Amino acid sequence: NAGVMQNPRHLVRRRGQEARLRCSPMKGHSHVYWYRQLPEEGLKFMVYLQKENIIDESGMPKERFSAEFPKEGPSILRIQQVVRGDSAAYFCASSPLPGLAGLYEQYFGPGTRLTVT
Amino acid sequence: GQNIDQPTEMTATEGAIVQINCTYQTSGFNGLFWYQQHAGEAPTFLSYNVLDGLEEKGRFSSFLSRSKGYSYLLLKELQMKDSASYLCAVRDRGYSTLTFGKGTMLLVSP
């Protein structure tokens, strides 16, 4: 049973380029979350998606960042015109459909480490 | 606003017991999670509390007091491999997103 998969694991971009990060949730999970982890900082929530829907994007920067989770294929986090401050580890997590009660912990992928030069 | 506090670093000796505290002030509460994260790796789930009290799971236990906004993670019989960052997270918005503390770096020495 494969876990959450993210690729690439490492990504180097020059300032001004675009970065595309991909996340495939665990089998049977329909909810995807993206988090960013800066050095010496905690994980910060960015966006929560279900298939074809953005549920909560309150943690996304207003410009240059976008996310999608299409009906088919992985979830994509896109960063346009990257700047040095975007250098961080980006983690994707997935969970099954939340119910009225229960654990429903989020399972994390291995992360994509983005370096902007 | 959301605020989750935990110590930055702790050290302990192999075989000992260590308690990592977490206090939180969030606009809502629907569960508290502890994750372990080794350097350069993904966080892995350790424990979950939604009701007051102690949850035990092998060498790891987690306690919650909702009235005090307080939790701790207790690690017994420490092993070298327990050296990692321990993340406290609160699920505060419905049943979805997690708000994380900055993590406590635990160093276990021989």
Side-chain angles (χ1 to χ4, degrees), chain B residues 7-63:
Chain B
T8 304
E9 290 181 351
M10 297 184 72
T11 58
T13 307
E14 201 174 9
I17 299 172
V18 70
Q19 177 175 312
I20 303 174
N21 296 324
C22 171
T23 57
Y24 63 90
Q25 292 173 304
T26 55
S27 55
F29 182 84
N30 191 32
L32 187 141
F33 296 75
W34 284 95
Y35 282 82
Q36 180 191 61
Q37 186 179 26
H38 286 97
E41 297 183 10
T44 55
F45 169 76
L46 289 179
S47 70
Y48 165 73
N49 296 72
V50 68
L51 299 176
D52 291 350
L54 189 68
E55 293 284 340
E56 296 188 79
K57 204 174 179 184
R59 294 190 300 115
F60 295 80
S61 303
S62 57
F63 171 83

Side-chain angles (χ1 to χ4, degrees), chain B residues 37-92:
Chain B
Q37 186 179 26
H38 286 97
E41 297 183 10
T44 55
F45 169 76
L46 289 179
S47 70
Y48 165 73
N49 296 72
V50 68
L51 299 176
D52 291 350
L54 189 68
E55 293 284 340
E56 296 188 79
K57 204 174 179 184
R59 294 190 300 115
F60 295 80
S61 303
S62 57
F63 171 83
L64 175 67
S65 168
R66 288 172 297 170
S67 62
K68 294 181 180 177
Y70 168 70
S71 172
Y72 68 72
L73 179 70
L74 193 71
L75 294 80
K76 303 175 187 175
E77 301 170 11
L78 281 173
Q79 303 174 9
M80 298 296 289
K81 67 178 182 180
D82 296 329
S83 291
S85 185
Y86 290 85
L87 313 178
C88 173
V90 172
R91 187 167 58 192
D92 54 0

Side-chain angles (χ1 to χ4, degrees), chain A residues 9 33 35 37 40-45 48 56 58 91 98-111 113, chain B residues 8 30 33 35 37-45 47-48 57 85 87 91 93 95-103:
Chain A
R9 295 291 306 275
Y33 314 80
Y35 294 85
Q37 188 172 41
E40 310 301 325
E41 293 289 324
L43 285 157
K44 300 289 187 189
F45 165 74
Y48 163 39
D56 182 348
S58 58
F91 287 95
L100 292 177
L103 175 47
Y104 299 119
E105 73 268 25
Q106 295 178 19
Y107 294 83
F108 283 80
R113 276 143 189 89
Chain B
T8 304
N30 191 32
F33 296 75
Y35 282 82
Q37 186 179 26
H38 286 97
E41 297 183 10
T44 55
F45 169 76
S47 70
Y48 165 73
K57 204 174 179 184
S85 185
L87 313 178
R91 187 167 58 192
R93 270 174 278 192
Y95 301 96
S96 57
T97 60
L98 296 176
T99 299
F100 282 85
K102 291 187 178 181

